[in-house]
Amino acid sequence: MDEGSELSLSVAHIVRRLKGTHLHSQIERRAKECLHQPEIRLDSLREDVRRFLRTSGWERQLQNAVYRELQVLRPPSHPAAPVEHLKEPLAYMRKAQACWEKRVLKSLNSMSSELGVPLARMRPAAEQKELTSKWNEMGADEPDLTSFRPVYAPKDFLEVLISLRNPNYDSSEDVGVRSHWGLVQVPLDVRDIPQLRRAYAELNLTSGQLGIDDHAHIDPDLFENEYLQIGKKVVVEQDSAAAQQYSRRGCSTGLRADLWALILNSNNQPQDAMRYEQLTAGVVQHDLLVDSLIYKDVKLTASNDDYYFVFEDFLYQVLLCFSRDTAVLEHFKYNSATPPRSFVQGKGEEEEGAVVYPPNGVIPFHGFSMYVAPLCFLYNEPSKLYSVFREMYIRYFFRLHSISSSSSGVVSLCLQFERLLQTHLPQLFYHLRQIGAQPLRIAFKWMVRAFSGYLSTDQLLLLWDRILGYDSLEIVAVLAAAVFAFRAENLMEVTSLGSAEAVLADLSTLKVMPLIQIFLFATAI
């Protein structure tokens, strides 16, 4: 398909997506209203209306909405391509993802049967009233969750990724001996350091970076003050594309919340707050089995974290509402996963009796709440926190727990991590492999959470700045390799998996940007 056809397809797709949205109706109404103004003339109607939309800020809002669609838009493909090919082009990946989904759903259904807890039930009026009264202090409630267990943990998911094989690929034909050292044995194209240097040029050693050049011993006039002024201008201009470009070198602490919301086009309109209230009402009315999984996960992770335990109430509110949000189902159009389905009682196991469960199509796993926890430092208004988290999830986080060939998908991240280590630290990789401490078994838990809960919060937010700035999770794999490089000397001395894990147990003192810069731009090729 030629470039013109691809562009036409993309434009048609974006127009179709934006038509009928709240923004579309607002712009349409404003354009009609402006016709009554004396400066709008019939002979130059089109130009005058455009000028009005530009000066009143509506054109910028439309640009940001289009930019947002371009960020999540599937790559243009042939109009006749089957839907499943648009979700994931490789058949063996689709098959593996379908098998994994069946396994997870079976685990959830088994738990429901064993515990005698229905997947969903209407709360009695008294229980609804009680939940409403303690909505802002749910962390004080201590339900008995001893019989509930996470549906799966990252290590279970890793075993599935390790078993992935392309039936059409003969690995014996691969000339590189090192390609067999790692756990992930699928032939996906991942970038090497020269390619990464070109892709992440703004992170080079000569560019000013927040996370390096804002430290106390460096005069703020050299970089920080000027960079802060640019950031303020970006926020005033309300330009999503400019905010994303700015984020590549880090966001100032005071501007980060506004910049991230701008990049994600999450502008917290009155209708967003109303939607959040509706979701809250849904939580109050119905009790879901996954609610207990959410409670359990928060108790096991964020509640025990020195940085995040204070946000326990926020986490419950956001995650319980998220589980009811059917708008999340939209991302399954470009996600290799398919929302799980269950059957309404009394209707039998017929197709018409099947409903998506949970309503958002996402079954939480051990550590899921850590995707939300860092955002609590930026947003203290629940509806704003919720809309930013939802957008972060449907753009990035879903890729960390679904099997796909995407360059930001968890399979590619694992492969890239192993390739970077094998290529640039072969002795370390071989040593760890020989003592039964495959590096991926240690690093996988970091990557599947995008390092949330492992780095100190200020460093984690600097890392997530770059995820948003480059619109890719690739930097997560680079950091994982950089951590091993940083601790290489100690790791060469270890003799077991346990001692290797001990060396890498505490990452809270690490500085993210110096590690990434040194690994990418000061590593001999």
Side-chain angles (χ1 to χ4, degrees), residues 281-318:
V283 175
V284 170
Q285 286 169 6
H286 290 92
D287 179 32
L288 306 183
L289 172 61
V290 292
D291 294 353
S292 296
L293 300 181
I294 289 166
Y295 275 112
K296 182 90 171 186
D297 186 53
V298 172
K299 292 289 183 194
L300 289 175
T301 56
S303 297
N304 294 321
D305 191 289
D306 291 345
Y307 294 106
Y308 304 125
F309 72 94
V310 293
F311 300 121
E312 194 176 346
D313 295 330
F314 269 8
L315 295 175
Y316 291 135
Q317 290 170 14
V318 167

Side-chain angles (χ1 to χ4, degrees), residues 104-261:
V104 171
L105 188 57
K106 184 179 178 184
S107 175
L108 187 71
N109 285 328
S110 298
M111 194 188 307
S112 174
S113 301
E114 287 167 20
L115 302 179
V117 177
L119 292 176
R121 68 176 180 89
M122 177 77 108
R123 295 185 200 271
E127 192 181 327
Q128 290 187 29
K129 190 177 178 182
E130 186 188 359
L131 181 57
T132 304
S133 67
K134 64 179 185 187
W135 179 252
N136 291 315
E137 46 193 48
M138 282 191 280
D141 193 26
E142 291 284 346
D144 180 19
L145 301 170
T146 48
S147 52
F148 289 92
R149 62 187 187 278
V151 175
Y152 68 93
K155 64 175 188 240
D156 306 315
F157 188 45
L158 176 59
E159 294 306 321
V160 175
L161 303 188
I162 291 169
S163 67
L164 274 177
R165 294 292 182 276
N166 183 345
N168 303 318
Y169 176 72
D170 183 2
S171 58
S172 62
E173 294 174 6
D174 200 327
V175 291
V177 177
R178 289 184 198 146
S179 60
H180 300 296
W181 286 8
L183 293 172
V184 175
Q185 297 285 324
V186 290
L188 294 179
D189 192 26
V190 292
R191 292 196 264 210
D192 56 19
I193 282 191
Q195 291 170 315
L196 288 167
R197 284 179 179 175
R198 289 192 292 274
Y200 294 88
E202 293 88 350
L203 304 185
N204 69 59
L205 298 168
T206 58
S207 296
Q209 301 287 332
L210 285 185
I212 298 176
D213 299 294
D214 52 336
H215 286 180
H217 59 277
I218 298 173
D219 186 348
D221 287 334
L222 291 175
F223 168 69
E224 195 180 357
N225 289 346
E226 184 187 352
Y227 192 67
L228 178 62
Q229 293 312 311
I230 297 169
K232 286 178 178 175
K233 190 174 180 183
V234 169
V235 171
V236 169
E237 290 291 320
Q238 285 292 296
D239 187 328
S240 292
Q244 188 164 50
Q245 184 65 35
Y246 180 87
S247 185
R248 292 183 173 193
R249 293 202 286 161
C251 296
S252 308
T253 306
L255 299 177
R256 182 176 279 123
D258 290 334
L259 287 164
W260 282 20

Side-chain angles (χ1 to χ4, degrees), residues 71-72 74 87-88 97 100 152 157 322 328 330-338 360-362 365 368 371 389-404 406 408-411 448 471 473:
Q71 297 296 298
V72 299
R74 303 184 295 273
K87 286 162 67 68
E88 169 52 55
Q97 174 62 31
W100 172 242
Y152 68 93
F157 188 45
F322 181 70
V328 177
E330 185 74 17
H331 90 285
F332 286 104
K333 289 180 179 176
Y334 51 88
N335 181 354
S336 61
T338 303
N360 70 342
V362 181
F365 56 91
F368 192 85
Y371 291 144
F389 163 65
R390 185 180 68 187
E391 197 66 25
M392 287 282 282
Y393 180 82
I394 65 176
R395 284 205 202 185
Y396 305 111
F397 298 146
F398 78 89
R399 296 197 183 279
L400 295 172
H401 62 95
S402 51
I403 302 168
S404 78
S406 163
S408 266
V410 72
V411 183
V448 86
D471 193 37
L473 288 159

Side-chain angles (χ1 to χ4, degrees), residues 30 55 69 88 95 109 138 154 168 187 204 247 350 455 480-481 510:
R30 297 295 180 199
T55 54
E69 292 301 326
E88 169 52 55
K95 185 178 178 183
N109 285 328
M138 282 191 280
N168 303 318
N204 69 59
S247 185
E350 300 297 328
L455 297 170
L510 297 184

Side-chain angles (χ1 to χ4, degrees), residues 181 425-437 488 490-496:
W181 286 8
L425 293 160
Q427 283 180 300
L428 174 63
F429 198 106
Y430 186 72
H431 169 67
L432 292 172
R433 184 174 178 267
Q434 288 301 96
I435 63 167
N490 302 92
L491 288 169
M492 287 301 289
E493 304 294 321
V494 302
T495 54
S496 67

